[in-house]
Amino acid sequence: MARSRQTHNLLVGTGLAALLGALGAGQAVLEARAAAEQTTAVQAPRFEVDPLWPKPLPNHWVLGSAVGVTVDARDHVFIVHRGAMTLNERTEIGLATSPRTAEDCCLPAPPILEFDPAGNLVGHWGGPGPGYEWPASNHGITADDKGNVWIGGNAAKDAHIVKFTRDGKFLMQFGHQGKSTGSNDTENFGQVAKIFVDPKANEAYVADGYGNKRVVVIDADTGKFKRYWGAYGNKPDDTDLGKYDPDAPPAQQFRTPVHCAELSNEGLVYVCDRPNDRIQVFQKDGKFVKEVFIAKKTLGDGSVWDIAFSKDPQQKYLYLVDGKNEKVYILDRDTLKILTTFGDGGRQPGQFFGVHSIATDSKGNIYTTETYEGKRLQKFVYKGLGPVGKQDQGPPWGVK
């Protein structure tokens, strides 16, 4: 009997050991398969919203519609916003009314705000002054390699660009307010959305813009027009194209606004044809290369608002903000294939209301500003590359 029980226990133990061994082998196979899948999965940059950046503004200041963001060589972040013209006197700026309707809150912040990498406000300036015409509706901001700051404007009479030092000292004005004669004018602009400065060639690429339908390249010192083009490299034509129809053949001209014109390290110009829901890519001389449509059925404001590049030397990734669908797309810059997106509509950190502009710093972090009632600057911390888990990530909280 004892020997039989021992034999039985031995058989049971042997079977249990075999079962555990099989389970272990199965787990090892699953882990190996998962590791292989992770290795072969599409890789993309990952980001996590920093809900405590930037720090609160002083002096009871509040932001209006934030319509531009740029990062300089020191990783200082500059934004431009529209203060009193987009803030509600009754509900937002009681200290700015006459008579005052509040004792403590609030006032419009100056148009240009500068933040250091920690999120401290370290500079502020902007508005009308002697020697230049401040845009009636300032729009877009760019810090160049020389420490200067460029600003456009998209009011009906804003036909010019103004250039300042980073501390707000006026340097140059290109074009003349109220003087635009259309998309083939070679002295004035037509409601500039944004500027990109190429330090190698000392040229500025102008997304021109809300009135005109073109990209203009000027000398960055003198403002002299050097070349310009419309969609597909065509000569610009200001004929009204009517409303965008996603089922119609692609428009042979840009629709307004032409919202960005960004130059990559390899010399390709990426243009935001915002209401046509497309990015068009050109060589520096305006020769058309390729295009891609993004959320092609988006109407109204359109889907292609602003772009920035990843900070690796190859600029492998392109980041696109979409203020209508309220997200940031991450694309492979070479193929223009969408890899993933983050964000969603809403008021919480990591969500958007009218996400308008985007910039990256030297560490790969992303900064966005929001227009309309969004009135906000947000930071998204770069968390490295990782496999794409799903197409739409939603608000980027708790990335590991």
Side-chain angles (χ1 to χ4, degrees):
M1 178 72 72
R3 180 175 299 176
S4 176
R5 185 179 295 112
Q6 289 175 353
T7 302
H8 173 75
N9 291 342
L10 179 62
L11 291 173
V12 170
T14 302
L16 181 60
L19 177 60
L20 290 175
L23 289 174
Q27 179 66 27
V29 169
L30 291 176
E31 290 177 355
R33 183 179 300 168
E37 289 176 353
Q38 184 166 347
T39 301
T40 59
V42 174
Q43 301 285 306
R46 301 175 301 162
F47 295 92
E48 181 177 316
V49 66
D50 183 346
L52 302 180
W53 198 102
K55 296 177 182 178
L57 296 177
N59 307 320
H60 307 293
W61 285 345
V62 292
L63 292 180
S65 297
V67 287
V69 60
T70 188
V71 181
D72 72 6
R74 306 164 300 158
D75 275 346
H76 281 215
V77 178
F78 290 77
I79 69 167
V80 61
H81 75 108
R82 301 186 186 123
M85 67 183 295
T86 60
L87 290 166
N88 188 307
E89 288 190 357
R90 184 179 69 84
T91 60
E92 294 181 291
I93 48 173
L95 286 178
T97 60
S98 182
R100 290 183 175 182
T101 59
E103 291 187 358
D104 292 317
C105 191
C106 286
L107 292 166
I112 309 295
L113 301 178
E114 176 189 355
F115 299 89
D116 68 14
N120 300 297
L121 181 70
V122 294
H124 52 84
W125 50 273
Y132 63 89
E133 298 167 306
W134 185 261
S137 177
N138 46 250
H139 192 287
I141 186 168
T142 298
D144 66 22
D145 64 306
K146 298 176 182 177
N148 302 320
V149 174
W150 302 59
I151 301 161
N154 72 335
K157 64 179 182 179
D158 287 336
H160 60 301
I161 293 168
V162 281
K163 180 179 173 183
F164 301 86
T165 67
R166 68 188 184 203
D167 298 321
K169 179 183 177 182
F170 171 65
L171 295 174
M172 298 283 289
Q173 176 173 321
F174 307 132
H176 309 279
Q177 200 166 47
K179 300 295 185 181
S180 177
T181 60
S183 289
N184 290 287
D185 189 331
T186 57
E187 294 185 2
N188 302 287
F189 304 95
Q191 300 170 249
V192 169
K194 192 180 178 185
I195 304 104
F196 178 94
V197 181
D198 175 12
K200 295 179 181 178
N202 197 41
E203 294 178 335
Y205 288 76
V206 181
D208 186 36
Y210 273 81
N212 291 343
K213 301 176 180 180
R214 64 181 179 176
V215 175
V216 179
V217 183
I218 63 173
D219 183 279
D221 290 332
T222 67
K224 180 181 178 181
F225 278 51
K226 302 181 72 171
R227 56 193 180 276
Y228 64 91
W229 64 86
Y232 298 105
N234 296 330
K235 181 179 180 180
D237 186 335
D238 288 328
T239 301
D240 186 358
L241 298 177
K243 292 183 178 180
Y244 167 69
D245 178 357
D247 297 320
Q252 296 301 297
Q253 294 289 341
F254 296 131
R255 278 183 167 85
T256 56
V258 183
H259 216 233
C260 81
E262 303 290 308
L263 182 68
S264 71
N265 289 342
E266 66 178 350
L268 293 176
V269 185
Y270 292 74
V271 177
C272 299
D273 190 6
R274 183 172 131 182
N276 279 330
D277 294 342
R278 65 187 178 187
I279 300 170
Q280 287 204 329
V281 185
F282 301 87
Q283 294 179 4
K284 294 173 70 173
D285 61 2
K287 182 180 179 181
F288 176 74
V289 177
K290 58 185 174 180
E291 68 181 348
V292 64
F293 286 85
I294 305 293
K296 190 176 180 181
K297 294 188 180 299
T298 304
L299 304 179
D301 288 335
S303 61
V304 178
W305 289 48
D306 193 18
I307 64 174
F309 304 115
S310 59
K311 282 300 181 178
D312 55 288
Q314 296 77 28
Q315 297 178 322
K316 180 174 175 57
Y317 303 100
L318 182 150
Y319 308 130
L320 165 68
V321 290
D322 177 351
K324 192 67 173 180
N325 297 298
E326 308 298 1
K327 61 181 67 177
V328 176
Y329 299 86
I330 301 176
L331 290 79
D332 180 284
R333 189 177 64 83
D334 181 42
T335 64
L336 296 179
K337 177 183 177 182
I338 297 173
L339 303 177
T340 187
T341 74
F342 66 82
D344 198 358
R347 306 285 187 177
Q348 303 304 313
Q351 297 179 319
F352 301 113
F353 189 118
V355 58
H356 183 278
S357 303
I358 185 168
T360 51
D361 67 16
S362 67
K363 296 179 176 61
N365 303 314
I366 282 177
Y367 302 86
T368 63
T369 55
E370 293 163 59
T371 188
Y372 304 142
E373 297 305 313
K375 302 175 181 176
R376 181 166 56 167
L377 165 65
Q378 293 197 77
K379 177 180 181 179
F380 297 88
V381 179
Y382 177 62
K383 305 296 286 187
L385 294 176
V388 173
K390 54 184 178 179
Q391 185 75 23
D392 298 305
Q393 300 178 41
W397 280 86
V399 176
K400 296 181 180 179

